[in-house]
């Protein structure tokens, strides 16, 4: 029987207790574990980029860049950040100076693609072990059970509650809507009113993406009891988030991981695909027609939401065509429907449409190269049988699929630890890029 868990889960007691944490590991560990506190205070969008910048600058040496460099995927995320900055400056220069708008743009940049670069790079410059990140995420997701339980008790006991403005959120520039502490509500799904929440995130689909990615991170937790509660928390959160695309991606990730480890699974997938094509040819039907009915069910589960997304994406792409090469830099337009009853900024849905609209072909090219090179650097260790790399590769594909429905630059700050997890996997797979001091402290157990 196929087992997705690692074969050797019994490690040394010292490793199980995560002793001798480095400074970077302590910062990362407590930042992740205390996620509910940052959510209640309303400081998430500034704290996580601040942690990334701090760890990049902490004990920085030029030798870390000159002698060991970094994998190409890290540099591509940095170049993407610079391209985004340049297009943002172009967009801001076309309007009168607005200090709040400029500050909000800088915050958006730091908590977006630059945060990906920082999280991928930190494990190459500091000792940040995979087990430490996994343990922190496991504790955080096990806490999902408590947070969801409290929210459901409030919902069924007193009914839906209004959102609260955290005490420190007012000091953060930009839109305050994503900083609100919101409670569970009833929303229709397939015509039935069901409980739905966004928990520590700004939107339920983002919570679904977090739960999906955390599920495969927590598979690496070596404490079986903590792993059980963490996976239960991820599953419950994935269900209550009601993210249809996250539900669809979940079996796809499982299938991808199985295909890495079982030749029979790869052959079975090919035979199944061949059979589907043969049946379609036999009855004179195209494969797209065969998928129409499932897509109708998928869109019909929350029909209004699907129509709204399609409308906003279409308007976003239409605006991009007016400035195709460098985009508009900043969001200045909105789209309305329902006789003006509904209004959303362009680029609200779909990462790919948003990048084209804001940063044009230039930004989209850097994004595509960064995304593909990250997959490529994970592909090698995954083929060599490294199980964490296999889960990382499969979950990264799922994340790219999730980007079709929600902006990645908006989601990154809520699962920044996922990219840190990817960075630890890359650092273990490519030790030639690891800084000499980090390598020495890893081998000798020195606190860096």
């Amino acid at each position: 029987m196929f087992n997705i868990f690692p074969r050797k889960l019994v490690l040394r007691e010292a490793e199980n207790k995560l002793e001798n944490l480095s400074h970077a590991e302590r910062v990362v560990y407590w930042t992740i574990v205390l996620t509910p506190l940052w959510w209640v205070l309303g400081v998430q969008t500034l704290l996580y980029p601040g942690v990334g910048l701090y760890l990049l600058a902490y004990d920085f040496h030029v030798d870390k860049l000159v002698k060991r460099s970094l994998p190409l995927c890290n540099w591509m995320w940095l170049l993407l950040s610079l391209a985004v900055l340049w297009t943002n400056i172009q967009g801001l220069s076309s309007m009168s100076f607005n200090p709040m708008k400029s500050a909000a743009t800088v915050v958006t940049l730091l908590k977006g693609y630059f945060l990906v670069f920082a999280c991928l790079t930190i494990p190459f410059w500091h000792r940040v072990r995979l087990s430490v990140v996994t343990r922190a995420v496991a504790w955080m997701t096990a806490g999902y059970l408590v947070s969801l339980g409290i929210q459901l008790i409030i919902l069924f006991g007193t009914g839906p509650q209004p959102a609260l403005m955290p005490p420190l959120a007012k000091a953060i520039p930009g839109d305050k809507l994503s900083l609100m502490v919101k409670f569970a509500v009833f929303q229709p799904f397939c015509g039935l009113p069901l409980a739905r929440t966004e928990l520590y995130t700004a939107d339920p689909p983002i919570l679904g993406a977090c739960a999906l990615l955390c599920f495969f991170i927590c598979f690496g937790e070596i404490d079986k009891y903590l792993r059980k509660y963490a996976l239960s928390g991820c599953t419950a959160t994935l269900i209550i988030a009601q993210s249809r695309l996250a539900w669809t991606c979940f079996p796809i990730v499982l299938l991808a991981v199985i295909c890495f480890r079982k030749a029979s699974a790869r052959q079975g997938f090919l035979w199944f695909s061949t059979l589907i094509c043969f049946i379609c040819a036999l009855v004179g039907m195209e494969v797209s027609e065969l998928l129409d009915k499932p897509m109708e069910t998928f869109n019909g589960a929350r029909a209004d939401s699907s129509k709204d997304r399609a409308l906003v994406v279409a308007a976003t792409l239409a605006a991009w065509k007016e400035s195709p090469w460098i985009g508009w830099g900043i969001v200045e337009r909105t789209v309305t429907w329902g006789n003006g009853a509904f209004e959303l900024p362009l680029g609200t849905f779909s990462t790919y449409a948003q990048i084209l609209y804001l940063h044009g072909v230039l930004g989209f090219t850097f994004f595509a190269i960064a995304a593909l090179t990250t997959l490529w650097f994970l592909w090698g260790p995954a083929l060599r049988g490294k199980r964490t790399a296999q889960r990382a590769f499969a979950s990264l594909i799922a994340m790219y699929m999730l980007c079709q429905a929600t902006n990645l630059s908006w989601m990154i700050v809520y699962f920044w630890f996922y990219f840190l997890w990817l960075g630890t996997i890359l650092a273990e797979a490519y030790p030639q890029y690891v800084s000499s001091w980090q390598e020495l402290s890893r081998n000798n157990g020195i606190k860096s």
Side-chain angles (χ1 to χ4, degrees), residues 312-313 316-317 320 347 349-358 364 403-404 407:
V312 174
V313 171
T316 301
L317 292 176
W320 159 65
F349 304 115
S350 179
T351 299
Y352 308 108
Q354 185 217 36
I355 290 179
L356 285 172
Y357 166 61
L358 290 180
F364 191 86
C403 287
Q404 173 56 30
N407 292 335

Side-chain angles (χ1 to χ4, degrees), residues 22 48 88 141 201 215 219 230 311:
S22 68
Y48 302 145
N88 286 339
T141 51
T201 66
F215 190 94
F219 265 127
L311 180 64

Side-chain angles (χ1 to χ4, degrees), residues 186-350:
F186 288 110
Q187 287 191 0
F189 189 84
C190 294
L192 300 174
L194 299 176
R196 194 184 194 197
T197 183
E198 51 202 51
L199 210 58
Y200 310 142
T201 66
D203 198 44
I206 301 178
L207 180 62
C210 287
L212 174 66
L213 300 176
C214 288
F215 190 94
F216 292 93
I217 294 175
C218 293
F219 265 127
E221 173 53 47
I222 59 179
D223 187 315
K224 64 179 181 180
Y225 296 107
L226 179 57
R227 183 176 65 247
K228 178 179 67 174
Y229 289 117
L231 294 179
S232 299
C234 292
T235 304
T237 305
L238 183 62
I239 293 172
I240 201 171
Q242 296 183 24
S243 174
R244 294 163 293 169
L245 190 55
W247 291 354
T248 303
C249 290
F250 184 77
I252 294 176
V253 178
L254 284 177
L255 178 61
V257 174
I258 294 173
C259 287
F260 269 117
R261 304 178 187 178
K262 295 288 184 179
S264 57
R266 295 192 292 270
Q267 295 173 359
F269 177 74
L270 292 175
W271 280 109
F272 177 76
S273 303
T274 304
L275 178 63
I276 293 297
C277 293
F278 174 74
I279 293 176
C280 290
L282 193 64
V283 299
M285 179 188 298
E286 294 183 3
V287 177
S288 59
E289 295 176 346
L290 187 65
L291 297 176
D292 284 343
K293 190 62 179 178
M295 286 302 299
E296 286 181 17
T297 304
F298 181 88
N299 293 327
R302 193 174 288 110
D304 292 339
S305 175
S306 298
K307 292 178 182 178
D308 295 346
R309 289 174 180 272
L311 180 64
V312 174
V313 171
T316 301
L317 292 176
W320 159 65
K321 294 178 182 178
E322 299 178 20
S323 180
W325 296 109
I326 62 172
W328 294 92
I330 57 175
V331 178
E332 292 187 275
R333 303 187 188 183
T334 60
V335 57
T336 59
W337 66 97
N339 294 324
F342 304 97
E343 181 179 8
L344 281 174
L346 294 184
T348 300
F349 304 115
S350 179

